[in-house]
Amino acid sequence: MGVRVWLALAGLAIAWIPAFAPPPADPLRDFYSQRPLWTPCAHDPSFSCARVKVPVDYADPAGPSLALALNRLPAADSTRRIGSLVTNPGGPGSSGLAFTFRARSFFSDDLRARYDIVGMDPRGVGESDPVSCAATTAMDQAESTGDYARAFAMSCAATAGGRIGHVRTPDVARDLEVVRHVLGENSLNYYGASYGTVLGQFYAHLFPRSVGRMALDSVADPTGWPGDPSAQAVGFETAFGVMVATCVEQGGCPLGADRNDILSRVGRMVARVDRRPLRTASGSTPVTSRELLRVIELATYREASWPKVAEALAKALRGDGSALRALTTEQAEPGGRADTVPAGYHAVLCPHLRPEERTAQAAARAGDEAMTVAPLFGRQVESQWLACVDWPVPSLPEAGRALTALGAPPILLVHNSHDAATPVHWARALHGRLDGSALVVNESGGHGFYPMGDCTRGVVDTFLLSGALPGGGTACRDRAHDDEYPADQAERAGRTGRDTASAAPGRSRPLSGSH
C-alpha cells in the first residue's frame, strides 16, 4: 500500500515537472552577453572604440541586426572608478561619438577621474548605419513646401527601406539597455542634453529598475515636443527680444537705442529678404531669410555670441549681408554627398507627432497659431509639420503622452531659465510628474545648464559622483563665458537636416538648416 502511494506521488511529481521548468531563454540574451573588441580610436587613440550588435527590429530579435558605434574615455583614476557614464547630446540626429571626443573639455576632472565617459552614435546617425534619402528631381522641381515634403518622404520610403521605421526613440532606448549589459553595468548612469532628455525619459519608462544616476539637462517634455507648435517659436522670439534689450541697455548698441524699433526694423528686413535675398558687399552668395533667421536662432543658444550677431544684423539693416554670410559659414556643418539628404532628424521627430497632427490641415493650423504669437520664428512651424504628413512611419503609441518612470530612483533635472530651444516650463512639468525628482534652474539664457560655472557644475557633479540630490530651493546664477553653450556644441551636428523637408520651392535642396 505504501509502495503504491509512493509511486502515485512520484507519478504526480513527474507529471508536474513541466509546470516548474525554467522560463524560456531571453531572446536578447546573445545581444546582452556580447563582449565587443575595444581598440584605440582612429580619431583619437586615447579613446577606445567598439561596435555593438543590436536587432534592427526588437520585435524580431532573430532577424537582421545592425552595428552601433561606441567610444569610451577610460576613467583617469581606475582605483576609484564608479562605472560608465553613457551620454547623449541631443538633436535628434547628433553624433554621440563627436560629443564624447570632446569629453575632456566638457566634463569636469572629477567626473572624468571616476567614470568611463561613453558615447554612442544612435542608430541611423553617423557611424551607426546612417539613414539618408536620395535627392530627386521631384524635390528640386517642387513648387510648394508641401510638394517638396511629399517628394522627400517618397524618396525616403524608396531608398532608406524598412530600417527608416526602426530608428525611433524607443528603439534607441532599447539599444541603451543592450549597451548597459555590454558594459557590464548593473544600472545605467546617464547624462542627456536636450533631445537626449527625451531619450532618457523613454529609457526610464521602459527600464525603470535599470536606471542609475540620471541627469537630464535642458529638458524637452514629450507632451510638448514636438506637438506644441508655439512653444519653441515663442522661446526663440522672446530670447531674441532679450538679446536686443540687453544690447540697448549696455549702451552703444549698433542696432539702435530703442528695443521695439529694432525688432520692428528686423521684422521688415526679414520680409524684404523673403522676396529678395540680401546681397553681400563681398560678392558672396546672397543671404536668404532662412539663413538670416538661423543666425538669430543660434545666437539665442549662446549669449557670448550676441555682440558679433548684433554687428552683423546692423550691417544687414544697412543693406550688406557680408557679416551674416560669414556667420552662416562659421555655423555650417560639413555637408554630405550631393546626391543624398540626411533623414535622421525627421526619422526620429515625425513619429513623435500624433496621427491627427500629421495632416496638411493640422500643419496649417499649427503654423497660423505659431505666427500669431511669434511672427519671426512661427513661419517655420508649418513647414516642419508638413514634413511629417507623408512620412512613411506611423506615429508612436506614446506620441504626445506623458511618460512615467515608476520604480526608477530619483532623477536630476537641470535647466536654464531663459532657454529658447527647450522652454523652462517643460522642465517644471516633468518635475511635477517624476516622483522624487529634483529640478535646479540656472538664471541665464542659452541652451545647456552644464557646465556653465561653479554652481551648475557642482550640482551635476555632486549628483553623478555621490547620488545626492540638491536640496530644495537650490538655484544657480552662472553665465557662460566661452563662445558656445554646452548643449549648442552637443547638438550642432543634430541640426544638419532639420529643414530638409521644408526647402524653399524651386531652390536647391538644403543639406543643413535651422531648427
Side-chain angles (χ1 to χ4, degrees):
M1 177 71 173
V3 172
R4 285 198 298 271
V5 170
W6 183 89
L7 288 174
L9 291 173
L12 280 174
I14 293 171
W16 277 101
I17 284 176
F20 293 101
D26 187 336
L28 296 175
R29 180 180 58 187
D30 290 344
F31 294 100
Y32 289 157
S33 62
Q34 63 188 302
R35 292 293 177 262
L37 176 65
W38 292 90
T39 59
C41 300
H43 177 78
D44 183 342
S46 66
F47 288 74
S48 299
C49 284
R51 290 191 172 271
V52 171
K53 285 178 59 178
V54 293
V56 170
D57 183 355
Y58 276 91
D60 181 21
S65 63
L66 61 87
L68 299 176
L70 275 64
N71 62 353
R72 177 174 66 184
L73 178 65
D77 186 350
S78 59
T79 63
R80 300 171 62 234
R81 178 182 175 275
I82 294 172
S84 300
L85 179 65
V86 179
T87 64
N88 182 277
S94 294
S95 169
L97 299 186
F99 174 65
T100 299
F101 279 129
R102 294 181 48 255
R104 289 190 177 95
S105 62
F106 187 87
F107 292 107
S108 69
D109 291 346
D110 290 339
L111 280 184
R112 288 185 288 104
R114 304 195 61 193
Y115 276 107
D116 296 343
I117 309 297
V118 177
M120 175 184 84
D121 272 357
R123 56 170 64 204
V125 174
E127 300 298 320
S128 297
D129 198 15
V131 172
S132 61
C133 308
T136 65
T137 301
M139 290 161 62
D140 279 334
Q141 295 179 348
E143 296 183 357
S144 71
T145 299
D147 289 344
Y148 186 97
R150 191 171 301 109
F152 175 62
M154 290 176 63
S155 169
C156 291
T159 59
R163 62 196 180 99
I164 202 168
H166 298 291
V167 294
R168 305 163 306 165
T169 303
D171 300 310
V172 182
R174 290 183 171 91
D175 290 344
L176 287 177
E177 180 66 353
V178 173
V179 168
R180 178 183 74 80
H181 280 273
V182 168
L183 293 172
E185 302 291 352
N186 292 325
S187 58
L188 181 77
N189 297 316
Y190 178 81
Y191 170 85
S194 197
Y195 165 75
T197 68
V198 176
L199 177 59
Q201 291 171 64
F202 267 80
Y203 181 86
H205 176 70
L206 293 170
F207 307 103
R209 300 194 183 280
S210 295
V211 173
R213 298 170 187 174
M214 178 173 284
L216 303 182
D217 184 343
S218 306
V219 175
D221 180 1
T223 67
W225 178 89
D228 183 341
S230 60
Q232 288 183 310
V234 169
F236 289 122
E237 202 103 357
T238 301
F240 180 49
V242 172
M243 169 186 159
V244 170
T246 302
C247 185
V248 170
E249 291 165 5
Q250 290 176 344
C253 180
L255 293 166
D258 183 279
R259 172 188 178 278
N260 292 336
D261 177 65
I262 295 169
L263 293 176
S264 178
R265 287 190 291 123
V266 171
R268 292 196 299 271
M269 176 176 65
V270 172
R272 290 195 302 272
V273 178
D274 269 341
R275 298 187 296 270
R276 178 179 295 178
L278 183 63
R279 294 180 179 178
T280 64
S282 62
S284 56
T285 307
V287 177
T288 66
S289 60
R290 176 193 299 277
E291 292 172 317
L292 194 164
L293 288 173
R294 182 172 184 243
V295 167
I296 297 174
E297 177 188 321
L298 295 188
T300 69
Y301 278 61
R302 52 193 193 278
E303 291 182 19
S305 70
W306 288 4
K308 184 186 294 188
V309 172
E311 290 284 356
L313 289 174
K315 290 181 180 178
L317 287 167
R318 296 194 295 269
D320 180 8
S322 299
L324 286 175
R325 172 55 65 210
L327 286 174
T328 64
T329 302
E330 289 178 14
Q331 295 164 349
E333 286 297 311
R337 292 170 47 193
D339 59 348
T340 64
V341 287
Y345 181 75
H346 294 95
V348 174
L349 177 138
C350 291
H352 278 277
L353 285 172
R354 293 172 296 187
E356 62 269 25
E357 294 168 334
R358 295 174 61 178
T359 68
Q361 295 78 11
R365 287 193 300 270
D368 289 344
E369 177 183 331
M371 284 290 289
T372 299
V373 293
L376 283 180
F377 291 97
R379 62 181 55 214
Q380 303 178 84
V381 171
E382 180 177 2
S383 61
Q384 290 167 1
W385 282 38
L386 279 173
C388 297
V389 170
D390 295 297
W391 192 254
V393 179
S395 298
L396 293 169
E398 301 93 343
R401 286 176 44 198
L403 300 178
T404 61
L406 299 177
I411 293 172
L412 174 64
L413 313 176
V414 293
H415 213 98
N416 290 333
S417 58
H418 303 301
D419 186 336
T422 51
V424 69
H425 70 260
W426 284 353
R428 299 190 195 283
L430 182 61
H431 176 45
R433 293 197 302 268
L434 289 181
D435 290 342
S437 64
L439 170 63
V440 177
V441 175
N442 181 44
E443 291 297 322
S444 174
H447 189 45
F449 177 100
Y450 183 91
M452 276 200 187
D454 291 342
C455 180
T456 51
R457 183 181 294 109
V459 165
V460 175
D461 281 6
T462 298
F463 173 71
L464 291 176
L465 291 170
S466 70
L469 290 169
T474 301
C476 293
R477 289 174 175 79
D478 291 345
R479 307 294 283 269
H481 298 294
D482 54 5
D483 187 53
E484 291 191 304
Y485 276 82
D488 173 56
Q489 295 177 342
E491 281 200 300
R492 173 80 48 106
R495 282 194 288 269
T496 300
R498 285 189 186 186
D499 282 348
T500 298
S502 57
R507 299 191 187 279
S508 60
R509 56 192 176 270
L511 291 177
S512 64
S514 60
H515 170 75

